[in-house]
Structures are given as C-alpha cells and as structure tokens.
Amino acid sequence: MTFTKTSQKFGQWADSRANTVYGLGFSSENHLKKFAEKFAEFKEAARIAKEKSHEKAELASTPSQESATGDMQSPFTPESVNGTDEERATPDISHNALPFPHGSAINKHWEAELAALKGNNAKLTAALLESTANVKQWKQQLAAYREEAERLHKRVTELEYTCSQTNVIKTHKTELNQTIEELESALKTKEEEIDGLKAEVENARQLQAQRDSLAQKLQETETRSRDLVGQLADLEQRLESNQLGQEAFLRNLRTLLELLDGKIFELTELRDNLAKLVEGS
C-alpha cells in the first residue's frame, strides 16, 4: 500500500483488484502531510506485526524453540506459558484480503484499527502473565489474539499486493497532473474573462453616470422648455390681442378716412360752387 502526494492538497492510492484509484483532497498542505505520515506509520506497524506473526508461527512449529517447561513465546510479549502441545498449536493465519476502506474516513478507520490492536495486545499480555495459574484463560486470550492476527495479516496481504501497482498509480498521477494543468489553464482563461467583465462593468458604471447626468440635464431642459412654451403662449396671446387692437384701429382709421374723403368731396363741390358764383358775379 503506497500513498502518493500528487499535489499540495491531494493524494491517492490504487486498488488493482477493483481497477480503482482512490484519492483524498485536503483543506491544507499540513493536513495532507499529517495524513501521509500516519499512513506510513500504520503501514510500518502492519509490517512489524506480520513479521512477529511469522516468528510466532516458526516458534510454534519448531520443538527446539520451546522452553524446558513447555512454554511458548508470544509474538507481543516475552512472557511464557505452560501447557501441552495441543495448547501451543499454531494460529491459523488466513491470506484472504479484506476490502480496503476508502473515502474521507480512512484516517479514523486506521486509528480505530490500531487502537483496537493495542487494546487486544494489552489484554493478551495480561493473560500471558496469569497463564501459569490458569491455562484455560490463556487459551481464551490466545484465541482473541489469533483473530486479531488474522485480520492484521489480511490487511498486510492487501497492502503488499497494492504496492505492486506502482505503475498504475504513476499513470493515474500523470493523467491527474495533466487534468490539473488543463483546469489551471481554464481557470486562467476564466480569470481573464472576469477581468474583461469587470472592465465592462466599470465602463457601464461610467455610462450610467453619464446617462444620469444627461437625464438630469434633459429634465432641466424640459423644465426650461415648458417655461419657454408658457412664455411663448403668453406672447402669442398678447400678440393676438395686439393684432385684434390693430385691426380695430385700422377699421376705425378706414372709417375715418372714408368720412374724411366724403367731407373733402363735399368741400370740393362747395369750392367749385363758390368759384362758379364768384365767376358769375
């Protein structure tokens, strides 16, 4: 099992049996670093547990490794236990791999696994210390140890199998890096578009300010226009009144001229008559 950091905030590993690559994203580079350290720590603990399990199997299967009193060495503690050959039977370690948990909860899962193993190891140590007085109790604790050892061996088997898929991980890493580059390029393009939109928004704001100014000037012009229209109407009304007065004056003047013409005609006739009278006398 190999955890690979593919970027500052992302890591991945592969499950070749399921033909699947799992990945985890982190909120910061420090969280990714801590996860990678824990991952390596659990992997090393699994390797050590597997070695101890193999040592126990070798001790149980070789008579020369037993003590003079018939004790058997525990893989987790140096204490010995008295018992018969049947009581020192080698635990059956299965090689069937369990499905590897994945997702955002993998760290908690492994911590729980390690905590469970530590708790079972403490129980097993206490049972081995008391095994000289109670062999039956030691058998019960040994059965619990066998179950935990089998589970741990299954984890180790899957980790070893996954480690052989380095090429698959590298291939997926290359593809992910290429995808990241494409996304960064697209992000850069989007940022340029956003800058262009910001410039357009600024221009729109300036145009809006100009429009508001022109609207205010237009409103003022309309107000002045209404005032001028009112003044023009008043002038037209006054002009119309003046025209009516002028027309009346002209009518009166024409009437006066007509009367004056009549009087002039009468005076002319009177003059002519007077002239005739003067000539006749």
Side-chain angles (χ1 to χ4, degrees):
M1 202 61 189
T2 302
F3 181 78
T4 305
K5 294 187 288 185
T6 58
S7 67
Q8 292 183 348
K9 296 182 181 180
F10 192 83
Q12 65 181 24
W13 68 95
D15 184 354
S16 59
R17 294 176 304 172
N19 195 22
T20 305
V21 175
Y22 300 103
L24 283 178
F26 298 85
S27 60
S28 66
E29 185 176 1
N30 187 35
H31 290 167
L32 173 61
K33 182 179 179 182
K34 290 181 179 180
F35 180 82
E37 292 175 354
K38 284 292 182 181
F39 202 98
E41 179 182 342
F42 296 146
K43 180 178 179 180
E44 181 65 17
R47 185 187 64 80
I48 294 174
K50 180 183 178 183
E51 292 178 355
K52 290 184 178 181
S53 177
H54 286 192
E55 291 176 0
K56 178 183 179 302
E58 292 175 358
L59 290 174
S61 61
T62 305
S64 61
Q65 300 295 326
E66 298 177 355
S67 63
T69 59
D71 297 341
M72 183 179 67
Q73 194 73 13
S74 170
F76 284 90
T77 180
E79 299 295 336
S80 61
V81 181
N82 292 330
T84 64
D85 293 339
E86 293 180 356
E87 294 169 349
R88 296 192 298 269
T90 304
D92 184 15
I93 306 298
S94 174
H95 294 276
N96 294 327
L98 292 176
F100 187 71
H102 58 84
S104 60
I106 184 172
N107 191 13
K108 294 182 180 179
H109 175 79
W110 276 107
E111 288 179 353
E113 285 285 326
L114 184 60
L117 289 175
K118 287 181 179 179
N120 290 330
N121 187 27
K123 293 179 181 179
L124 182 60
T125 302
L128 290 174
L129 292 175
E130 298 175 358
S131 60
T132 54
N134 192 347
V135 177
K136 183 177 180 180
Q137 183 180 0
W138 177 85
K139 286 183 178 181
Q140 295 175 352
Q141 296 298 328
L142 182 59
Y145 160 74
R146 287 175 179 176
E147 181 180 355
E148 293 299 325
E150 181 179 357
R151 291 175 56 190
L152 182 59
H153 184 70
K154 291 177 180 180
R155 292 281 185 265
V156 171
T157 302
E158 183 173 356
L159 290 174
E160 290 178 345
Y161 185 81
T162 306
C163 288
S164 64
Q165 305 302 319
T166 305
N167 293 332
V168 177
I169 295 176
K170 289 181 178 179
T171 301
H172 286 284
K173 178 181 178 181
T174 302
E175 294 176 354
L176 287 174
N177 289 335
Q178 184 178 0
T179 303
I180 291 172
E181 291 177 357
E182 294 176 354
L183 291 175
E184 289 177 350
S185 177
L187 179 61
K188 184 177 181 181
T189 303
K190 292 297 182 183
E191 288 177 350
E192 292 176 353
E193 293 179 357
I194 290 172
D195 292 338
L197 291 174
K198 287 181 179 179
E200 292 180 0
V201 169
E202 186 65 25
N203 293 333
R205 289 177 180 174
Q206 295 178 359
L207 292 174
Q208 180 68 22
Q210 294 178 1
R211 189 186 70 83
D212 294 340
S213 177
L214 291 174
Q216 184 177 0
K217 291 180 179 179
L218 179 61
Q219 186 176 2
E220 294 175 355
T221 303
E222 289 177 350
T223 303
R224 292 181 59 187
S225 177
R226 285 194 295 270
D227 294 339
L228 291 174
V229 168
Q231 294 177 5
L232 180 60
D234 184 53
L235 289 174
E236 288 177 350
Q237 186 176 2
R238 291 173 60 185
L239 179 60
E240 185 177 359
S241 299
N242 290 334
Q243 287 178 351
L244 293 174
Q246 187 177 6
E247 289 176 357
F249 175 75
L250 290 174
R251 286 195 299 270
N252 294 330
L253 185 59
R254 291 190 187 98
T255 303
L256 182 60
L257 288 174
E258 290 176 355
L259 293 174
L260 184 59
D261 289 340
K263 295 298 181 181
I264 291 172
F265 181 74
E266 290 177 358
L267 289 174
T268 302
E269 287 182 351
L270 180 60
R271 178 181 175 279
D272 291 341
N273 291 330
L274 289 175
K276 289 177 181 180
L277 287 176
V278 172
E279 289 176 356
S281 61

